[in-house]
Amino acid sequence: MHGRLGAEPGERDALGDILTGNDRSETMPGCRLHVISVDETDPDGVWATEIRESEAAHQASLRLDAVRERISRAMPLIDTAGIRRQRLDARAGIPRVDPHRDPPGTNLPRHP
């Protein structure tokens, strides 16, 4: 999934901080890629790109306490009229987990 979340005017950076979770140290089962970015020409847009192993993995992530808490903090900062979403079928470049190197629950491979 790739999409733009419209922030209320002046709230883009605060929304981005919430979405990044500041340190993203918690594991997200089934998440292969999670990128939060901004376009410097769009003062109110925060872009999210996620690759999940399945729709079920995405739905399961929405039930995690940390995710639910983050969503509740983000909602007051989001201008719902500014949301745009695209579902993409990723064909290449998807990060893989190496079961011989990465511990269980690891979402992305470690870089040497």
Side-chain angles (χ1 to χ4, degrees), residues 9-109:
E11 298 291 349
R12 181 186 75 180
D13 292 341
L15 178 58
D17 287 346
I18 291 169
L19 296 176
T20 60
N22 296 330
D23 67 358
R24 301 284 304 157
S25 62
E26 77 276 5
T27 60
M28 287 291 191
C31 182
R32 303 294 286 283
L33 179 71
H34 180 88
V35 177
I36 301 297
S37 53
V38 297
D39 174 353
E40 291 303 326
T41 66
D42 180 0
D44 299 322
V46 177
W47 292 85
T49 303
E50 295 182 343
I51 296 177
R52 304 279 180 166
E53 290 176 358
S54 65
E55 179 61 26
H58 173 69
Q59 292 303 317
S61 75
L62 297 176
R63 292 189 294 275
L64 296 173
D65 289 340
V67 173
R68 294 168 61 97
E69 186 272 333
R70 193 172 296 142
I71 290 170
S72 71
R73 287 189 297 129
M75 287 307 295
L77 305 180
I78 295 174
D79 171 10
T80 56
I83 295 175
R84 292 196 308 261
R85 224 173 114 164
Q86 295 175 301
R87 287 206 175 273
L88 305 172
D89 182 11
R91 304 285 174 104
I94 301 168
R96 294 189 184 120
V97 174
D98 180 343
H100 302 290
R101 240 184 30 201
D102 300 316
T106 300
N107 297 319
L108 299 175

